[in-house]
Amino acid sequence: MQVTLTVNGQERSAEVEPRLLLVHLIRDDFALKAANVGCDTSSCGACTVLLDGESVKSCTVLAVQADGSSVQTAEGLAPEGQLHPVAAAFRQEHGLQCGFCTPGMVMASVGLLKTNPNPTEQEVREGLEGNFCRCTGYHNIVQAVLTAAKAGVDSPSVSALHPGVQA
Amino acid sequence: MRTFRGAVKNNPMSILGTRVLRTEDPAFLTSGGVYMDDLVDERLTGSLYATFVRAPIAHARILDIDISAALQAPGVVAIYLSGDVPLADRRPPSPTFDKAMVQPLLAKGKVRYVGEPIAVVLTEEKYQGEDAAELVMVDYDALPAVVNPRLSADSVKLFDDAVSNQVGTFGSADDFDPDFFADCEVVFTHEIVNQRVAVASMEGRGGVSVWGEDGRLTAWISNQGAQGSKTALAAMIGIPADQVRVITPDVGGGFGAKFGADTEHGIISWASRELGRPVRWVETRYENLLGMTHGRDQVQTITIGGKRDGTILAYRLEVLQDVGAYPRIGAILPSLTRLMTPGTYSFKTESRATMVVTNKTPVGAYRGAGRPEATAAIERAVDFFALSVGVDSAEVRRKVLLPKFTEPHTTSTGAKYDSGDYETALNLACKSIGYDELRREQAERRARGDVKQLGIGVACYVEITGGGAESGAPHENATVEVHPDGTATILTGTSPHGQGHATAWAMLASDQLGIPIDKITLKWGDTDLIPEGGGTGGSRSLQQGGAAVQKASIELIELARERAAELLEANPEDLQMDTSIQGLKVAGSPGAQVTLAELAAKERLFVRSVFTAPGATFPFGAHIAVAEVDTETGHATLKRILAVDDAGTILNPLLFDGQRHGGIGQGAAQALLEEFVYDEDGNPLTASFADYPFLSATEVPSYELVTMETPTSYNPMGAKGVGEAGTIGSTPAVQNAVIDAVAHLGVRHIDMPTSAQRVWRAIEAAAAGGASASGGTVGSGGIASPDATATGIASHSTPDGKVSTPTSENEAI
Ligand code: FES
Ligand code: FES
């Protein structure tokens, strides 16, 4: 079957089997490898992307179901060489270590802040309950989302390349 | 503002000790890391995919394997069974272990745990492998499964040629002093379980193998140290190590379970040679939860005695280690548990360990690897004693903590603690969390009989980091090179997978050379480029790998000084390194200078150094947890956790605290939720993320960190390791807090994980009368009498004849 999606602002098409999951369409057919597969039970959130603006676990959606939709992945969050404010906050607060959960975590956070721009700590924790991280103990991830909320997600992007130093 | 207290620092504006954001982050936050399943490489064109057929039954003889249908399935290129693969079985990891306990790379004659690889299916496409694997028909003759390690010794043997199911021992009961508790007024003994947990790194295991025309193997492995993986893989395939090149992609977490190489890597490498094509394998989560080594899994019997005033005099630890179906590194770890038996205390200790096989996934290293088990045991024992004699748990500890020392202190087990100040750590933790205030609130809630009771859990810890070099003193190498364009490259034998070495190692070089950290590239994990290295584990990286980078940078300046002297026709002694110009200047003659980049343009400018440490270092600290327990449902909530951690001088507080957070999260997870569970037939009940209670963000609070910095003299930076400390301190603190919340109801112990059901049962049992509540049932708690406990666990609890405790000790304090 033929599917056509808008992926990070570009129209993309592929010939797919009916059983193909959206996460595999994105990773294997469109070669966008930021979203990861961390489980086989839709539990971990490593595969989270925005589908028509809402964060979803892309392993819970069939590629054919996403036909005609718009998908945003970590690769498409900010222009080349820049970090999206939420991504910048993850860096600022050291909300990532091995990075495996990170693209999903960032997309889930972007989705969370869209629906609740000023969450409490508890709301952040509840909002990210479906995204697992083995490295950070969640502390700095929660801080990153709160920092991003404070800065406002519409604040100017932070340059990706400057290794900020802060005493 | 932090000051960097290391001995070697030449720049007053030094970057060292400051909060530096990670240079590696932008890539992770945009295109994402390049993990095993993301690899795109020319050499992998035409790859086959490997799918393993795994045992669905814990213990059985294999009568027949029929692959005929599977061979007809679309895309199948080959299917191999044990008999097809002429690779030697893996021997046990110690010559003292039962030599019959060998691990075949594919099950041979028998399967010994659910998930054991039986066959490998090679297909053109990945999904074809899953379909074909289902068509492999195996006929089994089921054997009784050995699940309970306490009964393993007397059960059906897993290995026909082994003496029994006992792998080996560390120490023996004969070494125990029959009068060990003779001077004690009260003695308590209890069995506690340090449960089996899944390592569950977010990225599972995986590998790709391809053979070159030169007959060499190139293997990409998701690992924690390419050089160790190379040695392990070469040994499995039976070729010289220099015929293997291991390359490490980005690694999505390891936590101890990705050292070396697994049997699957041996199989895909052999299959790749056999078929003349690259072979890829990336495991599913189901495979990961069964195939990656598990962590912990000790049954511990603690016996602790002392005076009624709360002075502890003697402590004995007996460990029964469940190693799973094959002795891997997990069978060695009880020796570390024994080494760390005394913890932070001055009272006498003795210990021994027995390792047995069961029909479960093999046990390996998991964040802390043998040391969290020691700390959990002694901190639980100390709290058990405190609760039982009715003396405050912080006070009981203060009476027996080793006094501050700056010269190495050798314990009765032979551990040489480099430096320590345990009481300051404990007092700082108490003060920072408001200990007295919390105790007051606890007393009020108890007096009111609130449904939600408060528990305060204390844990002091000391642990060992940076030990365990294969031969000789612990060491690591680094190469630093400055390029003509003013950038620099560092090669390291460590293997970052989240720890931030690219930033940290660059900071160390930048401090010496003045080159900004974003102009410094770190390379690791390619054994042709970096043939030697110890990888990242055991919290060793900064104190050895970082120290090597610093040493190489300093030596590079010396090399540059000689060359600059020649060039500028000056005395080497008159040349000064000036980081602001990233070069050397002649003192007193303005303009006479040369940059490192200019020197590099004339001749390659690089130095390789090896840093050797005098020994392991022993970070320490105190954690205090506050838990709230609903006494009607048994549900425990972790409200606060405060950690005082002293791992010597801090290089980058951002990374330092990140390591602590991660460790605390995993420790709290073990105390509160996580357990890998098998039924009585050895069937895993938690082999997916839908069933395994993986910690999520809602189950922990934000963590409160307080820092101490007592430099070690074992490296010029003064740094010890911090990667595992969080796990080691937090686990017993959280467990103790949950128990403390219901201690006034008569509960003395609840095994981890302290699930609502267990807590509730412990409360009920205590209400029904502590002694009868024991029955030896694991996890039912509420016991303070050695007589009561001994009944249920007679084979492993061996309190000597002198043990006696009035039953009144069972009553609520
Ligand atoms: S891979 Fe989608 S939730 Fe785990
Ligand atoms: S950063 Fe490693 S799993 Fe989250």
Side-chain angles (χ1 to χ4, degrees):
Chain A
M1 297 172 80
Q2 163 100 6
V3 291
T4 304
L5 297 84
T6 308
V7 181
N8 297 331
Q10 285 187 325
E11 199 173 281
R12 309 282 296 261
S13 298
E15 195 60 44
V16 303
E17 278 198 52
R19 67 171 171 176
L20 188 78
L21 299 174
L22 177 60
V23 65
H24 292 128
L25 175 74
I26 295 169
R27 285 178 50 84
D28 301 339
D29 293 85
F30 300 153
L32 294 166
K33 305 272 191 188
N36 290 312
V37 176
C39 72
D40 27 33
T41 48
S42 303
S43 313
C44 77
C47 61
T48 306
V49 299
L50 296 187
L51 184 62
D52 291 331
E54 265 180 54
S55 68
V56 298
K57 295 177 175 179
S58 62
C59 72
T60 63
V61 180
L62 293 170
V64 291
Q65 288 176 300
D67 188 24
S69 318
S70 144
V71 170
Q72 198 176 18
T73 69
E75 289 98 333
L77 261 186
E80 182 89 36
Q82 303 233 301
L83 287 184
H84 181 274
V86 173
F90 267 70
R91 179 161 190 239
Q92 178 63 35
E93 300 296 341
H94 190 31
L96 65 153
Q97 291 185 26
C98 80
F100 196 83
C101 72
T102 306
M105 202 63 89
V106 168
M107 298 316 285
S109 303
V110 170
L112 170 70
L113 291 173
K114 274 192 179 184
T115 53
N116 182 0
N118 270 309
T120 62
E121 177 184 335
Q122 190 55 29
E123 285 166 349
V124 173
R125 288 185 180 275
E126 281 162 15
L128 296 179
E129 191 172 23
N131 286 73
F132 291 175
C133 174
R134 200 51 154 174
C135 299
T136 64
Y138 301 105
H139 181 106
N140 282 346
I141 289 174
V142 174
Q143 284 310 310
V145 179
L146 293 173
T147 296
K150 214 181 282 163
V153 277
D154 298 325
S155 71
S157 294
V158 175
S159 161
L161 301 171
H162 182 69
V165 177
Q166 183 192 318
Chain B
M1 173 112 186
R2 269 171 212 273
T3 50
F4 188 76
R5 301 195 190 132
V8 179
K9 169 174 152 335
N10 63 357
N11 178 354
M13 296 298 291
S14 175
I15 193 173
L16 304 187
T18 63
R19 184 180 191 272
V20 177
L21 301 184
R22 298 205 314 178
T23 52
E24 45 273 78
D25 286 353
F28 282 122
L29 287 162
T30 51
S31 50
V34 181
Y35 306 99
M36 207 64 233
D37 208 20
D38 303 335
L39 271 188
V40 178
D41 192 289
E42 247 178 21
R43 289 163 285 187
L44 302 179
T45 317
S47 284
L48 293 169
Y49 292 83
T51 305
F52 288 89
V53 179
R54 292 176 184 274
I57 178 171
H59 198 193
R61 281 187 203 288
I62 300 171
L63 300 178
D64 182 53
I65 305 177
D66 179 0
I67 58 169
S68 53
L71 278 173
Q72 302 307 315
V76 172
V77 173
I79 298 177
Y80 296 117
L81 307 176
S82 177
D84 305 320
V85 183
L87 301 183
D89 298 340
R90 299 186 99 180
R91 291 193 300 269
S94 163
T96 64
F97 295 165
D98 193 315
K99 290 178 180 46
M101 295 183 176
V102 295
Q103 181 179 25
L105 303 200
L106 290 172
K108 201 190 272 181
K110 247 188 178 188
V111 294
R112 296 186 176 87
Y113 68 96
V114 173
E116 180 166 10
I118 298 169
V120 62
V121 179
L122 287 310
T123 53
E124 298 287 351
E125 299 291 340
K126 193 173 172 181
Y127 70 92
Q128 293 167 332
E130 288 165 33
D131 296 343
E134 282 176 19
L135 299 174
V136 173
M137 295 299 151
V138 188
D139 215 359
Y140 296 104
D141 178 18
L143 294 164
V146 181
V147 178
N148 184 343
R150 301 171 194 82
L151 308 176
S152 172
D154 304 318
S155 305
V156 54
K157 284 197 289 184
L158 266 68
F159 300 87
D160 296 344
D161 298 334
V163 177
S164 70
N165 282 336
Q166 182 172 313
V167 178
T169 56
F170 293 115
S172 106
D174 299 342
D175 302 338
F176 281 177
D177 173 4
D179 296 325
F180 198 64
F181 295 100
D183 49 356
C184 297
E185 294 167 10
V186 282
V187 179
F188 306 98
T189 189
H190 206 284
E191 180 191 279
I192 64 180
V193 176
N194 201 293
Q195 82 275 25
R196 176 178 282 253
V197 291
V199 175
S201 50
M202 283 306 295
E203 185 200 20
R205 299 171 304 154
V208 191
S209 292
V210 58
W211 296 77
E213 275 166 16
D214 55 359
R216 290 182 82 221
L217 166 65
T218 300
W220 285 259
I221 297 180
S222 185
N223 74 77
Q224 291 181 231
Q227 298 78 10
S229 294
K230 176 181 77 170
T231 316
L233 189 56
M236 245 187 294
I237 313 169
I239 58 174
D242 63 6
Q243 293 300 298
V244 178
R245 175 184 188 185
V246 170
I247 302 176
T248 310
D250 284 328
V251 172
F255 308 106
K258 285 186 180 171
F259 262 117
D262 286 343
T263 52
E264 288 92 341
H265 295 114
I267 293 291
I268 63 166
S269 298
W270 175 83
S272 168
R273 186 170 59 186
E274 198 67 9
L275 298 167
R277 293 174 65 176
V279 175
R280 298 182 82 130
W281 165 65
V282 171
E283 70 181 359
T284 63
R285 181 56 62 188
Y286 174 77
E287 281 185 287
N288 170 261
L289 288 168
L290 296 175
M292 179 179 257
T293 49
H294 289 166
R296 315 280 189 258
D297 211 352
Q298 292 185 355
V299 178
Q300 304 170 326
T301 304
I302 51 167
T303 309
I304 190 160
K307 296 199 253 175
R308 287 178 189 283
D309 70 357
T311 309
I312 297 168
L313 298 173
Y315 166 66
R316 173 186 288 167
L317 172 64
E318 291 161 272
V319 173
L320 178 66
Q321 173 76 55
D322 181 341
V323 313
Y326 297 98
R328 304 301 331 149
I329 191 70
I332 306 270
L333 296 178
S335 63
L336 276 180
T337 308
R338 279 191 83 213
L339 183 72
M340 297 313 294
T341 299
T344 53
Y345 303 108
S346 57
F347 50 76
K348 62 181 177 180
T349 66
E350 57 181 20
S351 64
R352 70 184 172 105
T354 305
M355 293 77 75
V356 295
V357 285
T358 59
N359 292 113
K360 301 180 204 165
T361 293
V363 170
Y366 174 59
R367 203 166 195 164
R371 297 105 77 198
E373 294 89 325
T375 306
I378 195 162
E379 290 307 299
R380 193 70 273 287
V382 167
D383 248 39
F384 199 113
F385 186 89
L387 292 174
S388 301
V389 299
V391 178
D392 177 80
S393 60
E395 201 42 51
V396 161
R397 286 175 170 82
R398 278 190 200 104
K399 285 173 186 282
V400 285
L401 282 174
L402 285 167
K404 176 177 175 163
F405 55 94
T406 47
E407 293 298 313
H409 164 85
T410 304
T411 68
S412 58
T413 55
K416 197 168 153 201
Y417 296 174
D418 58 321
S419 60
D421 187 1
Y422 309 138
E423 190 166 352
T424 301
L426 175 60
N427 290 341
L428 185 56
C430 287
K431 185 164 161 265
S432 306
I433 202 162
Y435 187 80
D436 296 339
E437 188 51 43
L438 287 166
R439 284 288 177 210
R440 259 196 300 281
E441 187 186 339
Q442 179 184 53
E444 283 164 18
R445 290 202 200 190
R446 285 179 178 180
R448 286 196 303 263
D450 284 5
V451 170
K452 289 195 173 162
Q453 288 292 331
L454 202 66
I456 302 143
V458 180
C460 294
Y461 75 87
V462 55
E463 65 127 340
I464 175 171
T465 66
E470 264 174 34
S471 57
H475 59 272
E476 188 52 270
N477 73 89
T479 303
V480 176
E481 174 162 16
V482 176
H483 305 292
D485 64 357
T487 64
T489 302
I490 303 172
L491 310 183
T492 181
T494 65
S495 193
H497 43 285
Q499 295 84 354
H501 296 180
T503 304
W505 288 194
M507 286 170 71
L508 287 162
S510 174
D511 176 54
Q512 297 297 330
L513 309 176
I515 299 171
I517 61 167
D518 56 343
K519 297 261 184 298
I520 302 175
T521 304
L522 181 71
K523 293 191 176 174
W524 70 92
D526 178 342
T527 58
D528 276 6
L529 193 61
I530 307 159
E532 284 160 42
T536 287
S539 304
R540 67 182 293 275
S541 294
L542 175 59
Q543 55 186 314
Q544 287 151 25
V549 171
Q550 193 178 46
K551 185 165 179 246
S553 305
I554 292 166
E555 288 170 6
L556 185 132
I557 294 171
E558 290 319 303
L559 177 63
R561 185 190 307 281
E562 283 167 32
R563 293 201 195 154
E566 217 166 286
L567 195 76
L568 302 172
E569 295 176 350
N571 269 330
E573 307 86 68
D574 295 338
L575 284 166
Q576 285 171 351
M577 177 69 202
D578 182 342
T579 51
S580 69
I581 62 157
Q582 300 163 36
L584 293 115
K585 285 202 274 214
V586 182
S589 35
Q593 64 182 53
V594 61
T595 66
L596 299 173
E598 286 161 357
L599 290 171
K602 298 191 187 308
E603 186 185 349
R604 273 187 74 184
L605 183 61
F606 71 98
V607 169
R608 179 183 188 272
S609 297
V610 175
F611 174 79
T612 303
T617 56
F618 293 78
F620 60 89
H623 289 200
I624 299 181
V626 182
E628 198 172 68
V629 172
D630 184 318
T631 52
E632 286 174 357
T633 63
H635 183 74
T637 311
L638 180 61
K639 300 302 262 187
R640 294 175 68 187
I641 179 157
L642 181 137
V644 173
D645 298 303
D646 189 330
T649 314
I650 297 165
L651 172 64
N652 181 346
L654 177 103
L655 302 175
F656 187 81
D657 290 350
Q659 288 298 309
R660 297 162 78 189
H661 289 153
I664 292 170
Q666 277 171 304
Q670 186 185 1
L672 293 170
L673 317 156
E674 292 190 15
E675 179 172 28
F676 199 94
V677 184
Y678 287 88
D679 73 10
E680 57 194 16
D681 297 318
N683 298 307
L685 303 180
T686 48
S688 80
F689 272 174
D691 299 311
Y692 187 77
F694 194 99
L695 184 78
S696 73
T698 50
E699 285 148 339
V700 279
S702 282
Y703 313 131
E704 301 164 54
L705 304 184
V706 180
T707 299
M708 270 176 74
E709 286 183 81
T710 307
T712 179
S713 61
Y714 283 18
N715 59 70
M717 297 174 292
K720 308 186 190 185
V722 75
E724 295 157 293
T727 327
I728 291 168
S730 66
T731 310
V734 174
Q735 184 187 18
N736 282 343
V738 174
I739 296 166
D740 187 61
V742 292
H744 64 297
L745 304 174
V747 175
R748 290 293 169 270
H749 180 71
I750 302 167
D751 271 326
M752 302 185 292
T754 51
S755 61
Q757 196 189 30
R758 280 195 178 155
V759 173
W760 185 83
R761 272 206 254 125
I763 297 170
E764 291 294 298
S772 65
S774 71
T777 319
V778 177
S780 64
I783 312 155
S785 156
D787 309 325
T789 7
T791 54
I793 45 167
S795 58
H796 292 287
S797 174
T798 55
D800 57 71
K802 297 192 174 58
V803 172
S804 70
T805 309
T807 44
S808 64
E809 298 291 348
N810 286 333
E811 281 154 26
I813 299 166

